[in-house]
Amino acid sequence: MIMTFEGEMEMGTHLGIRGLGIVTGYGWGVAPFWDGLLGGKHAASLAEGYGEGRDRAAWIAAVPPGGDDSDGPSTFGRAMRGAAREAVADARARGWREGRRVGLLHAVVLGEVELWRDFYLRHGGDLASRDYLRLMPSTPMSLLMQEFGFHGPAMNVSAMCSSGNAGLLTAKAWIDAGIVDDVVFVATDVSATPENVLHFERLGVAFSDAEPPEVCRPFQEGSRGFAMGEASVAMILSRESGGTSYAHVLGGAMSHDAHHVTSIDPSLTDITRCFEEAIENAGVEPSDLRYLNAHGPGTAQCDRAEAAVFDSLFPSEAELYSVKPLVGHCQGAASAVEIAATALGYDRGTIPAPPAVSAAHPRLLDGPTPVQEGVTVKSSLGMGGHNSVVLLSGT
C-alpha cells in the first residue's frame, strides 16, 4: 500500500522502481551492495599508481573486475550492461511485463575513460573499426537495446553529479507524456583513474590518503571532502499495475545556479527553489517529509547548503543521511546509487545510513535505522550549478 497525499493519483498509478541492478565498489550485484551498506563498511580499497608521481596507494571505491566477457574489454561497458541485465531480470521476477515501447536512458558524464586513454596513449589513435566503435557512447546503448529487443527511444543524460536525478526525472517525463510505456534507466561512472582522481584532489574536494570515514563525514565535524567511487546502477521504471515496486517516484524538480563552475551560489536561492518546486510537483505537504537523502559529499559548502535548506523546509521530526562515506562519490552515477539505497531501504524496512564518527547535525541518522512512514527527498548538487531534487515514497 503506498501512502496517499492530497492531489496524489490512485494506488498503482505512480511511477514505480520495478527492478534494480547494481555494480559498485562492493562488487557485482544488489546483494553485495546492500550487505555492504548494512554492515557499515566502506567499499574502498587501496589501489596503486595514484598521486602526483603515480607512486602512492590511494583509497578508491572502484568497481572490481567482473562482468561478462562478451560485453567487451572495458569495465564501463561490462558494468553498464551487467547492471541493466540484473535490473531487467529482477523486474520480471517481481511481476513486471514490459510494454510495447521500452526506452533507455543512460546517465553518464565521462564514458569510456580507460578506452579513450588507451586510444591516444597506447594505440596512437589507430584502432580497428570494431574496436573504435566501442568508444562511441551509442555502442553500449545499442547493444543493450538489441539484446532485449527494446524499440523505444534511447539517449544519454548528463548533468554532472546530478545526472542520476536528472535521468530519473527525464524517464518520468517520458512516461507521463506517453512517449514510452517503460524505461530502463542506467547511470554509469567508471572514471576513478589516477588522472581524474588527481585533478579532483587538486580542486581540494577529493582525498584518497586515508580511509573514507576519516575523510568523508557529511554533516559532521572533521570532514575534509569525499573519497572517489565508481558504479553502474540500473532501474526499471514503469506505471504497470501488476507486480511490486521497491519505491515510487512522486515527482521532482531541477534548477541551475548560473553562478560559478564549481562553487554554490551562497544565497542558496535556486537550490531552495528547486526543493520547493520539487515538493509542489510531487503533490505533498512539507509535513509529509521524513528523510533527506542528501548529496552530502562532506565538503563544507555542499553540507552547509543542504543543512540550511533542511533546517528551513523540513519538519522537526525529519532526519537526514548520506551514503557517500560508504560507497564513495560515484560522480555521474552518484545520485542513482543513492536512490537505489533509498528504494532498497523502503523495500526492506531499513534506512542504510552510515554510522556517525564525530559530532554531527542533531538530526543526522547514526547507522542503519528502521524506516518510518513518510517521504524521502533525494537531493543532488552537481558541479557547475546543477541542482536536482526527487521525492520518493515506499510501497
Side-chain angles (χ1 to χ4, degrees), residues 169-324:
L169 291 174
T170 302
K172 185 176 185 301
W174 278 8
I175 293 173
D176 288 348
I179 295 171
V180 296
D181 302 300
D182 315 277
V183 175
V184 180
F185 169 53
V186 193
T188 309
D189 198 295
V190 186
S191 67
T193 62
E195 297 85 358
N196 285 332
V197 171
L198 177 61
H199 283 285
F200 275 101
E201 290 177 335
R202 287 173 174 170
L203 285 170
V205 293
F207 298 87
S208 62
D209 58 345
E211 293 191 57
E214 298 178 38
V215 168
C216 186
R217 302 177 177 184
F219 311 106
Q220 301 169 71
E221 291 181 3
S223 188
R224 298 162 64 193
F226 54 79
M228 297 287 282
E230 297 179 336
S232 185
V233 177
M235 307 174 197
I236 306 303
L237 304 166
S238 175
R239 288 197 189 280
E240 185 183 52
S241 58
T244 58
S245 297
Y246 286 96
H248 289 86
V249 183
L250 305 181
M254 293 182 279
S255 70
H256 198 281
D257 278 2
H259 171 70
H260 192 270
V261 296
T262 59
S263 298
I264 292 172
D265 181 354
S267 75
L268 305 185
T269 300
D270 288 286
I271 289 176
T272 303
R273 176 172 63 86
C274 190
F275 274 83
E276 292 171 338
E277 291 180 352
I279 294 167
E280 181 181 4
N281 178 263
V284 305
E285 297 298 324
S287 59
D288 297 316
L289 308 180
R290 189 62 183 79
Y291 300 105
L292 173 60
N293 178 344
H295 181 58
T299 61
Q301 66 167 342
C302 284
D303 287 3
R304 188 183 305 117
E306 287 185 293
V309 175
F310 176 76
D311 290 338
S312 66
L313 295 184
F314 284 63
S316 60
E317 66 274 15
E319 297 169 292
L320 77 161
Y321 66 99
S322 166
V323 298
K324 280 188 173 70

Side-chain angles (χ1 to χ4, degrees), residues 92 98-100 102 142-152:
R92 287 173 173 170
E98 59 262 36
R100 181 176 60 85
V102 179
S142 177
L143 292 173
L144 186 66
M145 296 294 274
Q146 292 175 50
E147 178 176 348
F148 291 103
F150 295 152
H151 295 282

